[in-house]
Amino acid sequence: MATVIKAQRNPKDYEGLKPVWCPGCGDFGVLNALKKVLADLNIDPKDIALVTGIGCSSQISSFLKAYAFHGVHGRLLPVATAIKLMNPHLTVIGAGGDGDGYAIGLSHFLHAVRRNVDITYIVMNNQVYGLTKGQASPTAAFGFVTTSTPQGTRERDVDGVKLALAAGATFVARGFSGDVPQLVRLFKEALQHPGFALVDVLSPCVTYNRVNTYDWFRENILNLDEDPEYDPTDRVKVLTKIMTLDRIPTGLIFKDPSSKPYSRLLLKDPDNPPALEELRVRPELAELQEQFV
Amino acid sequence: MATVIKAQRNPKDYEGLKPVWCPGCGDFGVLNALKKVLADLNIDPKDIALVTGIGCSSQISSFLKAYAFHGVHGRLLPVATAIKLMNPHLTVIGAGGDGDGYAIGLSHFLHAVRRNVDITYIVMNNQVYGLTKGQASPTAAFGFVTTSTPQGTRERDVDGVKLALAAGATFVARGFSGDVPQLVRLFKEALQHPGFALVDVLSPCVTYNRVNTYDWFRENILNLDEDPEYDPTDRVKVLTKIMTLDRIPTGLIFKDPSSKPYSRLLLKDPDNPPALEELRVRPELAELQEQFV
Amino acid sequence: MSEVRVNDLSVRIGGQAGDGSLTTGDLLAKALKRMGLWVIALKDFPSRIRGGHTNYTIRAKDAPIWGPGNALDFLLAFDMESVEIHSGEIQPGGVVIYDNSRGEQVPDSLHAKGVHYLGVPLSNIARSELGLELMKNTVALGVLAELLSLDDTIFHDILASTYGRKGPTVVEKNKRAFDLGRRQAAQAPKPPYRITGNGENPKRLLITGDEAIGYGALAAGCRFLAAYPITPATDILEWMAKYLPKYNGVVIQAEDELAAINMAIGAAHAGARAMTSTSGPGFSLMTEAMALAGMVEVPVVIVDCQRPGPSTGLPTKTEQGDLNHAIFGAHGDFPRIVLSPANAEEAFYLIAEAFNLAERFQCPVIFLTEQLVAMSKQTIPPLDLSRITIDRGKLVREPVQNNEEWPFRRFAITEEGISPRPIPSVPGGMFIAKGSEHLESGAYSESPKNRTLMTLKRMRKLERAKEAVPPPVLTGDPTARVGIIGFGGTYGPILEAMEMLAKEGITTKYLRLRTLWPFPAEEIRRFVQESEIVFVVEQNATGQLRGLVERCVGPQEKVESLLKFDGQPFKPLEIATRIDALLVGPERVPARANRARR
Amino acid sequence: MSEVRVNDLSVRIGGQAGDGSLTTGDLLAKALKRMGLWVIALKDFPSRIRGGHTNYTIRAKDAPIWGPGNALDFLLAFDMESVEIHSGEIQPGGVVIYDNSRGEQVPDSLHAKGVHYLGVPLSNIARSELGLELMKNTVALGVLAELLSLDDTIFHDILASTYGRKGPTVVEKNKRAFDLGRRQAAQAPKPPYRITGNGENPKRLLITGDEAIGYGALAAGCRFLAAYPITPATDILEWMAKYLPKYNGVVIQAEDELAAINMAIGAAHAGARAMTSTSGPGFSLMTEAMALAGMVEVPVVIVDCQRPGPSTGLPTKTEQGDLNHAIFGAHGDFPRIVLSPANAEEAFYLIAEAFNLAERFQCPVIFLTEQLVAMSKQTIPPLDLSRITIDRGKLVREPVQNNEEWPFRRFAITEEGISPRPIPSVPGGMFIAKGSEHLESGAYSESPKNRTLMTLKRMRKLERAKEAVPPPVLTGDPTARVGIIGFGGTYGPILEAMEMLAKEGITTKYLRLRTLWPFPAEEIRRFVQESEIVFVVEQNATGQLRGLVERCVGPQEKVESLLKFDGQPFKPLEIATRIDALLVGPERVPARANRARR
Ligand SMILES: Cc1ncc(C[n+]2csc(CCOP(=O)(O)OP(=O)(O)O)c2C)c(N)n1
Ligand SMILES: Cc1ncc(C[n+]2csc(CCOP(=O)(O)OP(=O)(O)O)c2C)c(N)n1
Ligand code: SF4
Ligand code: SF4
Ligand SMILES: [Mg+2]
Ligand SMILES: [Mg+2]
């Protein structure tokens, strides 16, 4: 197909509809970083499949120019997985909220990890359900008070990063919307990783979360990228480290250099995407009848 | 209610319908151990709520005498959670297969862990879907060949034990159907734990799994109960240990002595179970109207 | 239309989400209600947090109302977009009050005939005189009060009670804002309205359907709610989260709707009255477990607050498009009961009845409501808790005598199809609650004969339920030639349309279904037979209720669909006009000949 | 009944699950098929692995057959339980062969009139002469062959090809077992049967519906299947897992059915033909995503192999109880197409057409079949791949010209409701596939006007689809007074019942629906109108198809439900008898007066 390849793209080339997020919402940081990375990697918007769930964060699929799929709550990963398998040429990005990914979508998340499907999954983690006006999400701390938990939640918070590591993830990172340059680095590495890449992004909800604010995060995060000693390739050490921290680790947390992507494992001819096949009825298939004779 | 309390019960008192499992199925070990423990703890069958999903293993709810609930595939934990909350006097046991718990039910499993609801959850882990005739379950090793994976699975196996630990579980154990005495010890401790207790049981499917046999397990497990040095109360050390083992750990893997059960956290008056309340319309509720005037 | 309009007033407040128009609206609604009027406050907000146009319509009348009026009398516009969008709906004699702080002007093209445009520098006043732009809301309230010559006292009282917990300074500031607004409007010509109320204030409530459902459930002894947040059902979860724990109940925000309904089933199995609440997408996710409840005969109440579908649809708007799913969704045959309330008042009593029906017939009860009813604040008479009864059906809480047998025959095949239901911990009652086909004991069975008998047993419950469920309500002149059939929140608009038609000499009758399943086939048949033309009024695209009617009477030329599926509730006029259009001649009889055969 | 029965034979093999009767049955079925007969092999197995009674029925006839016969001719019983359960079904002249290795005897109480009982020490022979008890199966086969005077050659050939890969010793052993069986039966009296076949063996296939669906999908270009194991649909997953990867396709065993359908939707969105397959419980779980596919207009094929519900029901038995859900399940209104094949042969061609319809109308297509069709091995003529066509509808694979605009108007409101569908990577085609209500571009919109137009656009597709979907098939005498309506696997039993009735002088006609939605209302109306009595034959408890018929014609005295919901397929006689019972007089006309009004 004849496409005009621009020499180098810039973030403007990925501009979608005007975001309707609250001013100051952390998700702006994700959007901006993503546009920058896609431009840096010079990926044609038409070759991007951006798949989102439901939530404030998931609206990002309208704000970035790409082939967008805005599906149902919690099921973006199955959709994204299949898109990648049917067309490995595409850059497939899944993006959604912490409710979307760690509550209703938790099972799909860990099964996508198991499959090590070569997509990037961005979770905009704000400890609340933004779109439904501020109920506690699974990452809200024990005791967090919201309209649905007036006495404070009575459930321990889950950490997507730890779960991903325990489930055998090959790429795990965490960013912070208040640090876009780091996000750019993390997204870039995630997009280039040959396997499933989780980037959990601490992305404050300025409207419904008055506890986990930008300032609160600044005080409570520990940027592992700044630690020259830190070795992100040893799963056990990594897990030990982050389980013992009293702060929230950010940065490139873990990366398995030997990762093999699912699409290559599954497809007989990954270079000829099934999605692009010119379908016709193949007469030779008639031979398969022999087994029934 | 006037019930005749027997001095001491014995396993026969819990005998249910005749099991229809294949001769030699690992699930017999679980059933026998469970009957023994319940007798040892002298729990009246009427005070047991046994909740199961769907699968060979889940049929256990017919083979043990109790108040049984045989629900749908993968959703036994939500059912069990609510039963416990509405009647904390009951001993609530959830039991099912690895497909039930770690495939379709994975999300509920980890959310039950987060809630630390005071029930015991037994997973009969045979690496296959027994009832549907032998497809790979999520605990099947990479490459495992079955009818649904003729080229071998292309997904890493998940380990419920690791995930539970990463999700903050307060009690994690693993047994082996070939070692009933150990199962008895583990079940006993699990049933007495004031919180969510996972017992993953290696329970061979003699019909569809020709790889992970009794003998195979005997060669591949490491019984931590036999290690006097092992400290099951330090989550990080535990996780480090089991992540580095080249064998499958069994025994009491982890226990948080400070665990507080969910039912006590949620119910205002846990000693008066809502399920047993004599319902009547309370006139004082009329006062709540004031807020709408 | 220059005569003075008495006691029927529609005020819309428009602005950007987060502008505070909801608060203003609530204050106004409360004030009008306290004056003794019947008020409804309708939210029309975007499904996103900021930067979207939102509006709130307050309607007040000296008679009960349950939906929007035909036109607006006042528009309070915090931005020009609001004027643009809503100007066309203002009727002659009405007023548009707009913020002209930045010199905004209403362009001539938007000027509607007979409408008065009043620019007030609302934000400027709020900022300069009160130091807080958000106070423009209260200023605007003052403007309104002045134009309508409303009394200060009630407003001052309400400001005091609303802002009381923020301290006396805030209260005082708000009173000042209100007075400033009044003063601003003192010179403007008074529009032709008279709002008096009837002076009485019989402690009426201003309550949403969601709140009424939560409250009614609590009153009926519900002790367990598991739900996942979703508009427009979230308010049930939030209301109950606040109150249920006080009564030793539990509210769980589940990880998803699959968990929510399975939890509710577990709680009900344990012996508590249990419920789950959701909207379309979540309701679809509950499908499998609904069938489970049908099979294990667990009494569970499922509230579905409908919004436009399919899929995510329009999360904050209204529709009645889940009717088919409520009745026919899920694999296999099992009994279920589907109820639907007309408004918040009925929701309160009907949800209580839902628990009785669930326990009497040991099956899932689906409580079908819709955004209009669920989220609008409605004025209702005080609720009478003594009208609620509790009937737990064949629940067994005492030890089962002479029963050493195990398993207990929980699914005994009885004549009426209902069997004794012991709960865990009852001696002698142990059984297997099995989701597969089972014998009377709950033990699995593949016997064809047993399968047949068990299926018939379950379905027989529905036959019995037919006599126990709330029958349809007939309103209007029973001898009228023109009939209307509807359910749920079309109630208010239909009643008003009937009044409008009556004024034109067209008498109508209206059959309102409170029970959608088992379907009141006999009543429908009779009603259709006794009408010359029947309008099936519903808010969906395919005429789902009409489809049910056709099962009873077949496709008939005289049955007309009156559909609306744009996310907005019906206006009375829309219904009246469309009915009127199909009647001809001085006698206003059905224009059969003119209508094409479907 | 002592005349010789020619070429219609039913043999049942009964024993404990795991006894090996499936293998024996398969060998016998193959042999009979190779003789030129039409064979169907029906599994009736328990939903557990061991220790449950299981049986396998092989029926062979010299004409096409798609269901069980009315009675059994032979019973091969590996245990006494089998004799107990099935003895009553053997017709006079038939034979029960039972294993009497441990001295078992058939009690007198079980002896049926005219049935011959033949004890053979099957296990003993197998153990002592062949050293392997499991070989009793092949011994039994020899007994059967001898009693029916069947030729050795075909059996020896089949044993060789079946056991070939286990080595020549195993083959030889099996041949010996067969011969031993023959010898054992040599003295027994020959029962009154003649099995000849027509000598021809035109390469007919012995194939299950599941296999045919997998094969047909592959042939139609399906490149993606995501599914979760569930009886009776698992065989589709397993067949495709074997073959799809060879054609650069992918089969994923998903973590659950929610994932499975969302994966299929993703694959279809990407541009591949994609499918998911399941049964009742999984189908219910797919409800939410089905609505998503409707809203984003993604062509996805959903196969539902029905089994008795609700909930887990009877996992290994047959039923047609998901019809309502297929048509009315899920929240909100959206277009969908529901197809149902009569047998494996039609399944092959119809599934291929399902992909065309899905892509032409850009909506979910539900392929409704049932355990009887899905899991029975059926003899069908060779499949003709040239009958399959591929029509991808408005798929856009070429760069969109002159389109720098973004988003592309993927949901353009067209007259027919269908819009161009570019796939990711097509230049200029980028759009937002949105599950909420949207503009033509896919951008979110709450505009009431747009909502109305978009809903109508989507629903218009269904109007168009009406002309494209496979119309009902009319069989029998079009002028007959007695009509039958049915769908799916009741096909075979109905055809045979019609033959039986014809023999008694009752002519009938039969309208078989291949498309259940959009419902063929006009055809139904005409058919009912032109019949004096109409039987709606279906396998569920509430008459789901009848309900649809009533939507078209209203409740009519002349429409009768003929239901079966015990998990077993209809026998021709059951249908014939129940029809016969409602006809009276020498003319066999509908006994209207005798029937009570429903
Ligand atoms: C099945 C289903 N359940 C519930 C909802 C309602 N809902 C919309 S967004 C949302 C949660 C949003 O939280 P999160 O995923 O954290 O995203 P955020 O808005 O915080 O970015 C919910 C529950 C839905 N759309 N679908
Ligand atoms: C929703 C749903 N999907 C699929 C099935 C079919 N099914 C029955 S049991 C089972 C898996 C059993 O595996 P596991 O949970 O490991 O139990 P096991 O039989 O191995 O003990 C499946 C997929 C079902 N009953 N319900
Ligand atoms: S509500 Fe929170 S998450 Fe949603 S847009 Fe506003 S700030 Fe962002
Ligand atoms: S199939 Fe496997 S898991 Fe099932 S009963 Fe037999 S041995 Fe046990
Ligand atoms: Mg969030
Ligand atoms: Mg298993």
Side-chain angles (χ1 to χ4, degrees), chain B residues 146-225:
Chain B
T146 71
T147 46
S148 64
T149 54
Q151 291 86 17
T153 68
R154 287 287 167 263
E155 314 182 356
R156 288 131 207 268
D157 51 312
V158 292
D159 181 349
V161 161
K162 284 182 199 149
L163 289 179
L165 285 168
T170 59
F171 185 102
V172 180
R174 177 176 276 134
F176 168 42
S177 290
D179 184 352
V180 171
Q182 183 190 42
L183 272 187
V184 169
R185 286 195 307 276
L186 295 175
F187 287 164
K188 196 173 289 177
E189 209 156 341
L191 283 167
Q192 292 173 314
H193 175 71
F196 184 81
L198 167 70
V199 189
D200 180 281
V201 183
L202 305 169
S203 182
C205 171
V206 296
T207 303
Y208 294 111
N209 191 335
R210 304 295 163 115
V211 177
N212 312 108
T213 60
Y214 285 95
D215 283 343
W216 185 92
F217 280 119
R218 278 195 194 92
E219 272 162 38
N220 283 279
I221 59 181
L222 180 79
N223 187 348
L224 295 174
D225 287 345

Side-chain angles (χ1 to χ4, degrees), chain B residues 20-23 54 56 59 71-73 75 99-100 103-104 129-133 135-137 146-151 155 207-208, chain D residues 45-52 228-231 234 237-239 241-243 245-246 251-258 285 311-312:
Chain B
V20 294
W21 289 313
C22 308
I54 299 287
C56 292
Q59 298 182 359
V72 291
H73 193 38
R75 321 277 169 213
D100 197 83
I104 192 168
Y129 289 10
L131 195 61
T132 50
K133 300 187 183 284
Q135 301 79 17
S137 91
T146 71
T147 46
S148 64
T149 54
Q151 291 86 17
E155 314 182 356
T207 303
Y208 294 111
Chain D
F45 58 103
S47 172
R48 48 187 175 183
I49 301 306
R50 280 276 163 79
Y228 190 72
I230 188 164
T231 313
T234 309
L237 167 63
E238 295 185 350
W239 194 90
K242 209 155 153 189
Y243 293 101
K246 297 199 205 320
V251 171
I252 297 193
Q253 182 185 312
E255 57 270 33
D256 58 25
E257 289 87 350
L258 303 158
L285 286 174
S311 199
T312 310

Side-chain angles (χ1 to χ4, degrees), chain A residues 20-28 55-57 59 126 128-131 133-134 203-209, chain C residues 49-50:
Chain A
V20 293
W21 290 313
C22 308
C25 176
D27 299 348
F28 281 103
C56 291
S57 40
Q59 299 182 359
N126 57 10
V128 293
Y129 288 11
L131 194 61
K133 300 185 183 285
S203 183
C205 170
V206 296
T207 302
Y208 294 111
N209 191 335
Chain C
I49 302 307
R50 280 277 161 77

Side-chain angles (χ1 to χ4, degrees), chain A residues 20-23 54 56 59 71-73 75 99 103-104 129-133 135-136 147-148 150-151 155 207-208, chain C residues 45 47-51 228-231 234 237-238 241-242 245-246 251-258 285 311-312:
Chain A
V20 293
W21 290 313
C22 308
I54 299 287
C56 291
Q59 299 182 359
V72 291
H73 192 38
R75 321 278 170 212
I104 192 168
Y129 288 11
L131 194 61
T132 50
K133 300 185 183 285
Q135 301 78 17
T147 46
S148 63
Q151 290 86 17
E155 314 183 354
T207 302
Y208 294 111
Chain C
F45 58 103
S47 173
R48 46 186 177 182
I49 302 307
R50 280 277 161 77
Y228 191 71
I230 189 164
T231 312
T234 309
L237 167 64
E238 295 184 350
K242 210 155 150 187
K246 296 200 205 323
V251 171
I252 297 193
Q253 182 184 313
E255 57 270 33
D256 58 24
E257 289 87 350
L258 304 158
L285 286 175
S311 200
T312 310

Side-chain angles (χ1 to χ4, degrees), chain C residues 520-562:
Chain C
E522 265 323 310
E523 288 92 334
I524 291 279
R525 243 176 241 134
R526 209 175 324 119
F527 186 81
V528 173
Q529 208 174 327
E530 291 170 0
S531 307
E532 280 179 33
I533 184 164
V534 173
F535 293 89
V536 184
V537 178
E538 56 189 313
Q539 293 217 259
N540 59 57
T542 54
Q544 301 187 6
L545 178 58
R546 184 219 178 96
L548 295 167
V549 169
E550 288 187 345
R551 283 194 187 220
C552 305
V553 301
Q556 297 205 6
E557 226 183 291
K558 67 176 172 183
V559 179
E560 284 288 332
S561 260
L562 214 161

